[in-house]
């Protein structure tokens, strides 16, 4: 059965970006926490350089993903992943398709008819694998709608003090989670929580 999995790197005090939308502090561990190389693929491939435990975590995670769901803000910050997300086809929840999109040979799709449609389309594209969700607002919307099965957070070893919070506007809180799977990396701790369904 396909799972919908929230994926985010954040500071220990719960921020996914600084007040200027900068994400370097919470994503630095991807590039400087070890010497194990993990290539990402996609149209604009990167190579992560992480510790062995983080490499195992990332490889297992990406192997289970069949599609991604994200919001317009994350799409813009990521420059549309060059038209191809490294972790499968990407479905962007938006009110309006941006100028210049869709592009030929792109695996980025735009969904303008709501969250449930976006999840349904991503689940179908995932072909039995998991759907990864990123972007703080999109994750919050999915949690509020009861659509998240698991939460994966990578806790970077940094305190930002302010910025964009991952869990800022939760309706129906508390959201109860099961026991976490924990992987200790270098400069980051990977946590994976099942979401308890009512």
């Amino acid at each position: 059965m396909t799972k919908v999995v929230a994926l985010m790197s954040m500071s220990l005090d719960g921020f996914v970006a600084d007040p200027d939308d900068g994400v370097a502090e919470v994503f630095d561990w991807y590039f400087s926490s070890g010497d194990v190389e993990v290539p990402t693929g996609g149209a604009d491939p990167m190579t992560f350089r992480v510790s062995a435990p983080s490499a195992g975590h990332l490889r297992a995670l990406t192997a289970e993903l069949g599609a991604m769901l994200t919001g317009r803000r994350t799409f813009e910050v990521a420059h549309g992943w060059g038209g191809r997300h490294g972790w499968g086809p990407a479905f962007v929840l938006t009110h309006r398709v941006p100028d210049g999109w869709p592009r030929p040979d792109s695996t980025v799709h735009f969904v303008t008819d709501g969250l449930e449609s976006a999840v349904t389309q991503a689940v179908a594209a995932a072909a039995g694998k998991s759907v990864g969700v990123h972007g703080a607002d999109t994750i919050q919307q999915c949690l509020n709608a009861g659509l998240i099965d698991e939460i994966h957070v990578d806790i970077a070893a940094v305190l930002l003090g302010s910025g964009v919070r991952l869990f800022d506007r939760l309706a129906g809180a508390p959201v109860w989670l099961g026991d976490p799977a924990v992987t200790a990396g270098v400069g980051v701790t990977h946590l994976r929580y099942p979401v308890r369904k009512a």
Side-chain angles (χ1 to χ4, degrees), residues 77-149:
V77 169
H79 305 289
W81 310 282
R84 303 186 95 181
H85 197 291
W87 295 348
F91 292 81
V92 180
L93 186 62
T94 186
H95 295 293
R96 185 183 58 80
V97 176
D99 294 339
W101 294 86
R103 296 180 180 172
D105 301 320
S106 172
T107 60
V108 177
H109 310 277
F110 299 90
V111 182
T112 59
D113 58 344
L115 179 66
E116 289 190 12
S117 176
V119 171
T120 298
Q121 291 179 52
V123 166
K129 290 187 163 188
S130 293
V131 172
V133 182
H134 49 184
D137 188 59
T138 305
I139 289 171
Q140 289 167 20
Q141 288 183 55
C142 286
L143 273 170
N144 289 339
L147 298 172
I148 296 288
D149 298 302

Side-chain angles (χ1 to χ4, degrees), residues 140-189:
Q140 289 167 20
Q141 288 183 55
C142 286
L143 273 170
N144 289 339
L147 298 172
I148 296 288
D149 298 302
E150 291 183 2
I151 297 173
H152 295 219
V153 287
D154 303 308
I155 307 294
V158 64
L159 300 169
L160 291 183
S162 63
V164 179
R165 284 197 180 277
L166 179 53
F167 301 115
D168 218 14
R169 294 178 301 279
L170 295 182
V175 176
W176 295 102
L177 309 176
D179 294 332
V182 181
T183 303
V186 173
V188 63
T189 302

Side-chain angles (χ1 to χ4, degrees), residues 3-4 6 9 55 66 73 88 96 123 128 136 153 161 163 177 181 192:
K3 291 186 288 190
V4 178
S9 191
R73 180 175 171 174
R96 185 183 58 80
V123 166
V153 287
L177 309 176
R192 182 173 185 156

Side-chain angles (χ1 to χ4, degrees), residues 15-100:
F15 296 99
V16 298
D18 66 25
D20 299 317
D21 259 355
V23 297
E25 298 94 341
V26 296
F27 286 100
D28 183 59
W29 67 270
Y30 277 102
F31 304 101
S32 64
S33 64
D35 56 8
V36 181
E37 294 188 349
V38 181
T40 64
D44 189 14
M46 296 179 285
T47 298
F48 300 145
R49 287 177 178 80
V50 297
S51 67
S54 289
H57 165 78
L58 288 169
R59 288 178 179 137
L61 175 64
T62 57
E64 80 175 63
L65 294 175
M68 296 299 298
L69 173 62
T70 186
R72 177 68 178 268
R73 180 175 171 174
T74 300
F75 165 83
E76 297 289 351
V77 169
H79 305 289
W81 310 282
R84 303 186 95 181
H85 197 291
W87 295 348
F91 292 81
V92 180
L93 186 62
T94 186
H95 295 293
R96 185 183 58 80
V97 176
D99 294 339

